[in-house]
Amino acid sequence: MTYFSTRNASPPASLKTALLDGLAPDGGLYLPETAMPLPEGWEDASSLADLGARVLAPFVADTVPDAEALVRDALAFETPLVRLRDGLFVLELFHGPTLSFKDVGARTLARFAHALLEDGERLTILVATSGDTGSAVADGFAALPGVRVVLLFPEGRVSEVQERQLAIERPGVTPVRVRGTFDDCQRLVKTAFEDDRFRAAGRLSSANSINIGRLLPQSLYYLDAVRQLGGAAPTFVVPSGNLGNLTAGVMAHLAGMPAAGFVAAHNANRAFSDFLAGDDLRPADTKQTLSNAMDVGRPSNAERLTALLPPERLRALVRGTVTNDAATRTSIRETYERYGYLACPHTAVGLDAARRLQDEGATGPLVVLSTAHPAKFPDVVEDATGVAPPEPEALARLRGLPDVAATVEPTLGALYDAAFA
Ligand SMILES: *Cc1c(COP(=O)(O)O)cnc(C)c1O
């Protein structure tokens, strides 16, 4: 299988190049030449891992040795479909080790990237994070021989829970706290890629959310939802930021998965929702909201969606909604009052979109993707409901562990001394 760039100005690439480079040389994003085929009987799979073995492993088997074992190991957690009431379901994607859906893509990408390294080849993953991506990538790549992760996060700008997940000691992972903003962290990563000193450390890769290696496994949990529904074609409601999650669902649908449609559920960062309503796609400055993992003003994967489908077909398949912070709080509270269910602020944006669809008389099952565990955002959830989400074992275990992150000024020299010298 070869991978092509959405801008069509780069030569077709191998899976190894697409996974390790992330971005195509023309600045576009990689897509597979043909959709990942759904083999006969995929609905009979027993779990997410089993779907991975039946659908994803054969798709990469010509390149990735032992693909089936790697996929089964990466996806060894459940993605249960929870019924809130007739016709309304939540697909819980937060049962992986770092409690967000980012574990699905990061764990799979890590195993594939490692399997594709030549003997003795070393890989350094340099990643800037403002939240869930960093811990999922660090956890996914930790302890793989030949792979190092350098994790940059902004001092004082991640939540207490997220900081606990980022700054702990993991084999092969160097966390770096940057005295600056998330944009400073991203700038450092970008400039390090162009710097000879950093390149001398071995192959550099970024594992960021535009990597096709993260999207392919994300298609699997959509299949898992349809399997658990017994084959009915649901409308998927996807809390969206950079649109990787939505793109993975649209790719599964184009491969033959039944779906009545999709909803791109946004917070105040509404550029893509406005595009779906008929506007041009206009990038905007990022607005800070309660659902901070969705605070994206220029969603990169819009480029993939428009490469997969012409605008009129995309607009027929995907509808956009916008939910502000006040409505997000209301959604968390009402979901708790009506169903006794605690939702994180991102999931609550999706639940608000689902409520509006049902008020408009939507028929057929609605599946809201739940992207993070409520305990990752305990303050917002407790403010809205009066109830503190119980802390899962995966977070409780991190309490009291030493913080090993080096703290650096936002300069390339300081980053080099702290993590590469
Ligand atoms: C990353 C993230 C999102 C947004 O997903 P995209 O694929 O960027 O659209 C939503 N919710 C949570 C909790 C996330 O971590």
Side-chain angles (χ1 to χ4, degrees):
M1 177 61 51
T2 57
Y3 291 77
F4 69 90
S5 163
T6 47
R7 298 190 188 172
N8 289 315
S10 298
S14 67
L15 180 61
K16 177 171 177 174
T17 302
L19 291 192
L20 296 185
D21 290 355
L23 207 63
D26 61 6
L29 309 185
Y30 285 114
L31 279 168
E33 205 106 66
T34 60
M36 183 160 71
L38 304 183
E40 191 85 22
W42 62 266
E43 302 94 332
D44 303 330
S46 58
S47 64
L48 181 69
D50 196 28
L51 275 165
R54 290 173 189 228
V55 180
L56 176 58
F59 192 61
V60 300
D62 60 346
T63 319
V64 181
D66 279 332
E68 179 174 341
L70 297 181
V71 168
R72 282 193 185 276
D73 180 49
L75 303 178
F77 49 88
E78 299 300 313
T79 44
L81 189 68
V82 175
R83 180 186 163 283
L84 296 186
R85 66 157 152 118
D86 278 353
L88 179 61
F89 300 85
V90 172
L91 182 68
E92 292 186 346
L93 303 176
F94 53 69
H95 295 282
T98 70
L99 309 178
S100 84
F101 81 94
K102 301 286 200 303
D103 283 323
V104 172
R107 287 172 62 81
T108 309
L109 171 62
R111 280 155 187 75
F112 286 180
H114 175 249
L116 291 172
L117 292 180
E118 314 286 333
D119 274 346
E121 195 177 2
R122 289 189 310 147
L123 177 67
T124 300
I125 307 287
L126 191 54
V127 58
T129 184
S130 60
D132 297 323
T133 294
S135 48
V137 167
D139 190 89
F141 281 87
L144 292 175
V147 183
R148 258 190 86 204
V149 179
V150 178
L151 192 61
L152 276 58
F153 64 93
E155 179 175 43
R157 287 166 202 259
V158 298
S159 77
E160 184 266 327
V161 174
Q162 287 172 327
E163 180 139 5
R164 218 192 297 162
Q165 290 185 303
L166 292 168
I168 52 167
E169 182 160 21
R170 292 182 175 93
V173 179
T174 309
V176 180
R177 179 185 287 110
V178 175
R179 292 210 166 105
T181 62
F182 173 63
D183 290 329
D184 290 320
C185 297
Q186 275 200 308
R187 176 180 50 78
L188 286 174
V189 168
K190 252 186 127 163
T191 46
F193 272 82
E194 292 150 13
D195 188 289
D196 290 338
R197 277 180 305 171
F198 285 85
R199 290 216 283 234
R203 191 161 186 158
L204 276 182
S205 184
S206 81
N208 62 15
S209 68
I210 48 93
N211 199 301
I212 186 70
R214 287 175 47 172
L215 292 198
L216 295 174
Q218 286 179 204
S219 290
L220 300 169
Y221 49 68
Y222 286 89
L223 303 175
D224 201 26
V226 173
R227 169 189 82 78
Q228 292 179 72
L229 273 177
T235 298
F236 287 101
V237 182
V238 189
S240 290
N242 215 17
L243 298 169
N245 203 354
L246 177 68
T247 304
V250 169
M251 285 167 69
H253 181 52
L254 295 179
M257 176 192 73
F262 294 84
V263 177
H266 291 274
N267 60 27
N269 294 280
R270 59 182 297 157
F272 189 67
S273 180
D274 292 342
F275 164 77
L276 289 171
D279 284 4
D280 290 337
L281 191 56
R282 270 192 297 266
D285 288 341
T286 302
K287 294 197 181 78
Q288 272 198 355
T289 75
L290 290 177
S291 44
N292 60 8
M294 292 156 43
D295 292 350
V296 181
R298 298 154 195 267
S300 332
N301 280 296
E303 180 163 341
R304 273 201 177 99
L305 288 165
T306 50
L308 287 166
L309 286 171
E312 59 282 11
R313 280 190 61 202
L314 190 57
R315 287 173 174 139
L317 182 66
V318 186
R319 156 173 177 190
T321 59
V322 175
T323 296
N324 66 20
D325 277 354
T328 303
R329 284 202 184 83
T330 304
S331 175
I332 296 175
R333 178 170 50 77
E334 289 186 352
T335 301
Y336 183 65
E337 286 170 358
R338 288 187 190 155
Y339 314 116
Y341 189 84
L342 290 177
C344 91
H346 310 79
T347 307
V349 167
L351 286 161
D352 182 56
R355 179 194 53 76
R356 275 188 262 166
L357 258 60
Q358 291 198 313
D359 287 352
E360 288 169 16
T363 54
L366 293 175
V367 172
V368 178
L369 273 58
S370 177
T371 50
H373 194 291
K376 287 192 96 164
F377 307 90
D379 300 343
V380 183
V381 174
E382 188 169 359
D383 276 355
T385 63
V387 179
E391 187 164 68
E393 174 54 28
L395 286 181
R397 236 185 309 124
L398 307 181
R399 272 193 193 279
L401 289 185
D403 178 325
V404 300
T407 302
V408 305
E409 296 300 322
T411 67
L412 217 48
L415 174 62
Y416 186 84
D417 292 343
F420 286 83

